[in-house]
């Protein structure tokens, strides 16, 4: 069986893009709304929620580029940043790059068995994958990935396990399908966690920890993170995001968002949203498909303005709720 070639790399350019990617999720409030903790230093007692983003002298152009990329429907690796902008960010990156010899050696010992499982489970992708690049980083231990099943790229922390590489590859293939099927970020993560944990991959990667397990762990860094977000100029939660959206929405969208906000995280059911959309004709016009399309357009508008569409969550079979 021929397996895809896997290349490991860590360069000033990949590290610069990693910092920029973290900044995108600061700008669109994903980290804040999802309850992650942003820290200006690395830590040894990582639980799953902490994001390492060094306190450097980021220029205005850095944040402007993060805001531009935050408005895109889909991010790629590389991020599509202009060379002159990337060069500015590269100059911020500390000279010491992460080592990856150890994780590369460990992956090479298990990769054939991983791909055997992968192609047996997803035979339709066997001929589609041309290459895998593992971008090793010092920043953000959660990892990340592109969504191109032909040329897979994953970001992995230099102290990560081989299971994290496997998770990145699986996410690269499956995330887009999950999004098309209406999965939330948590549901997609849970599906991939479950695939690894309840298959032979768990025996292959015994030290791997499911992403969502770490996210249920309390952190001692909440106050430090809150202060760091504020220092960077991106403090606040969903209420702040909504206040910035108000003038860009239709009357119906504003009313839906207002109802979601007034419920303080509780579900607004489909019928209530139908009443907002169709008023007195709600019984006659009611359609959960049309409601889903309305909320989808609202989410797209939120993202086009540079905020995370994860602000509005789906409660399957019931309705929608707002993350706080």
């Amino acid at each position: 069986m021929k397996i895809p070639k896997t290349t490991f790399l860590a360069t000033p350019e990949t590290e610069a893009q990693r910092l920029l990617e973290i900044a995108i999720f600061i700008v669109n409030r994903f980290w804040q709304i999802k309850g992650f903790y942003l820290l200006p230093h690395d830590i040894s007692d990582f639980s799953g929620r902490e994001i390492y983003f060094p306190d450097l002298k980021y220029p205005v152009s850095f944040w402007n580029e993060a805001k531009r990329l935050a408005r895109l429907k889909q991010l790629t690796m590389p991020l599509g940043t202009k060379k002159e902008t990337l060069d500015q960010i590269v100059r911020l990156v500390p000279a010491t790059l992460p080592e990856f010899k150890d994780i590369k050696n460990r992956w090479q010992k298990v990769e054939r068995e991983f791909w055997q499982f992968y192609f047996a489970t997803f035979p339709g992708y066997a001929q589609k994958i041309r290459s895998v690049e593992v971008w090793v980083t010092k920043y953000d231990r959660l990892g990340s990935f592109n969504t191109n099943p032909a040329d897979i790229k994953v970001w992995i922390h230099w102290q990560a396990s081989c299971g994290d590489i496997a998770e990145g590859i699986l996410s690269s293939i499956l995330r887009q399908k999950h999004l098309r099927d209406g999965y939330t970020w948590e549901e997609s993560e849970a599906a991939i966690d479950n695939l690894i944990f309840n298959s032979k991959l768990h025996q292959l990667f015994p030290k791997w920890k499911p992403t969502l397990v770490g996210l249920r762990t309390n952190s001692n860094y909440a106050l430090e993170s809150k202060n760091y977000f504020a220092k960077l100029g991106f403090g606040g939660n969903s209420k702040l995001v909504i206040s910035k959206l108000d003038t860009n929405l239709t009357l119906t969208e504003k009313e839906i968002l207002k109802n979601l906000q007034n419920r303080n995280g509780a579900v607004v059911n489909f019928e209530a949203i139908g009443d907002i959309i169709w008023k007195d004709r709600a019984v006659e016009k009611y359609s959960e498909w049309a409601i889903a399309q309305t909320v989808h357009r609202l989410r797209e508008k939120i993202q086009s303005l540079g905020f995370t569409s994860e602000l509005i969550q789906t409660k399957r079979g019931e309705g929608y709720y707002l993350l706080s």
Side-chain angles (χ1 to χ4, degrees):
M1 179 189 71
K2 184 178 180 181
I3 64 175
K5 180 181 179 181
T6 301
T7 304
F8 287 74
L9 68 157
T11 69
E13 288 75 20
T14 60
E15 287 290 71
Q17 290 190 65
R18 185 56 165 166
L19 292 178
L20 185 57
E21 195 215 27
I22 296 172
I24 291 167
F25 293 108
I26 295 172
V27 167
N28 73 7
R29 264 63 178 195
F30 179 88
W31 302 130
Q32 298 92 311
I33 289 171
K34 291 294 187 181
F36 287 91
Y37 301 111
L38 192 75
L39 300 175
H41 55 83
D42 205 358
I43 58 173
S44 58
D45 55 336
F46 175 73
S47 72
R49 285 186 179 273
E50 299 85 7
I51 307 297
Y52 171 34
F53 183 70
D55 190 5
L56 305 175
K57 294 181 179 179
Y58 301 103
V60 173
S61 59
F62 173 85
W63 293 110
N64 287 341
E65 180 65 359
K67 291 175 182 177
R68 182 186 74 83
L69 293 169
R71 293 183 174 92
L72 301 180
K73 287 187 177 181
Q74 183 176 327
L75 294 176
T76 61
M77 292 171 63
L79 290 171
T81 302
K82 292 181 180 179
K83 185 179 184 304
E84 54 267 31
T85 304
L86 185 61
D87 287 344
Q88 286 183 327
I89 303 170
V90 165
R91 288 193 284 271
L92 298 173
V93 176
T96 305
L97 295 171
E99 290 287 339
F100 55 79
K101 182 178 179 180
D102 178 60
I103 192 170
K104 179 180 179 180
N105 289 339
R106 285 186 282 122
W107 177 252
Q108 288 175 340
K109 292 177 182 178
V110 298
E111 63 177 333
R112 179 166 292 276
E113 193 170 349
F114 166 77
W115 287 114
Q116 286 174 344
F117 168 86
Y118 187 91
F119 292 141
T121 307
F122 304 104
Y125 291 104
Q127 303 303 319
K128 294 181 180 179
I129 301 175
R130 292 190 294 261
S131 65
V132 177
E133 285 187 6
V134 179
W135 294 12
V136 184
T137 181
K138 294 186 293 185
Y139 311 115
D140 182 8
R141 297 177 186 234
L142 280 179
S144 191
F145 51 89
N146 69 349
T147 51
N148 179 356
D151 297 296
I152 294 173
K153 294 179 176 63
V154 296
W155 259 308
I156 294 296
H157 191 268
W158 71 279
Q159 292 179 318
S161 72
C162 290
D164 294 307
I165 297 177
E167 181 182 3
I169 292 171
L170 292 170
S171 298
S172 184
I173 292 291
L174 298 175
R175 181 58 56 86
Q176 282 300 100
K177 181 181 185 304
H178 289 169
L179 293 177
R180 288 194 300 269
D181 291 343
Y183 284 42
T184 64
W185 177 81
E186 286 86 353
E187 288 171 336
S188 179
E189 289 291 336
I192 294 165
D193 284 355
N194 184 66
L195 175 61
I196 298 175
F197 198 75
N198 294 300
S199 70
K200 66 179 294 184
L201 292 181
H202 192 227
Q203 297 174 345
L204 192 60
F205 308 116
K207 294 184 179 181
W208 171 82
K209 294 181 180 179
T211 300
L212 295 183
V213 170
L215 298 186
R216 291 194 291 269
T217 305
N218 292 325
S219 175
N220 298 318
Y221 299 101
L223 180 59
E224 183 180 5
S225 174
K226 181 180 179 180
N227 292 336
Y228 191 32
F229 276 125
K231 177 182 178 180
L232 294 172
F234 296 97
N237 55 16
S238 61
K239 290 182 180 179
L240 177 64
V241 173
I242 290 169
S243 69
K244 294 187 176 185
L245 292 173
D246 192 58
T247 58
N248 296 282
L249 304 179
T250 66
L251 291 176
T252 297
E253 290 167 344
K254 287 180 182 179
E255 193 170 349
I256 291 172
L257 207 51
K258 181 180 178 181
N259 273 262
L260 289 167
Q261 187 175 14
N262 289 343
R263 293 286 289 169
N264 294 316
V267 173
V268 177
N269 62 37
F270 295 128
E271 290 77 10
I273 294 177
D275 289 340
I276 294 170
I277 298 171
W278 295 294
K279 310 298 185 198
D280 295 338
R281 301 183 66 190
V283 174
E284 173 191 349
K285 302 280 287 185
Y286 183 83
S287 163
E288 287 190 10
W289 179 87
I291 290 170
Q293 291 302 302
T294 300
V295 174
H296 175 71
R297 287 192 293 271
L298 177 54
R299 283 170 167 158
E300 284 195 328
K301 188 171 288 188
I302 289 170
Q303 185 161 347
S304 72
L305 295 168
F307 300 106
T308 176
S309 60
E310 292 279 337
L311 181 69
I312 300 175
Q313 296 283 291
T314 304
K315 180 73 171 178
R316 292 187 181 275
E318 295 184 32
Y320 301 92
Y321 63 96
L322 201 66
L323 289 177
S324 58

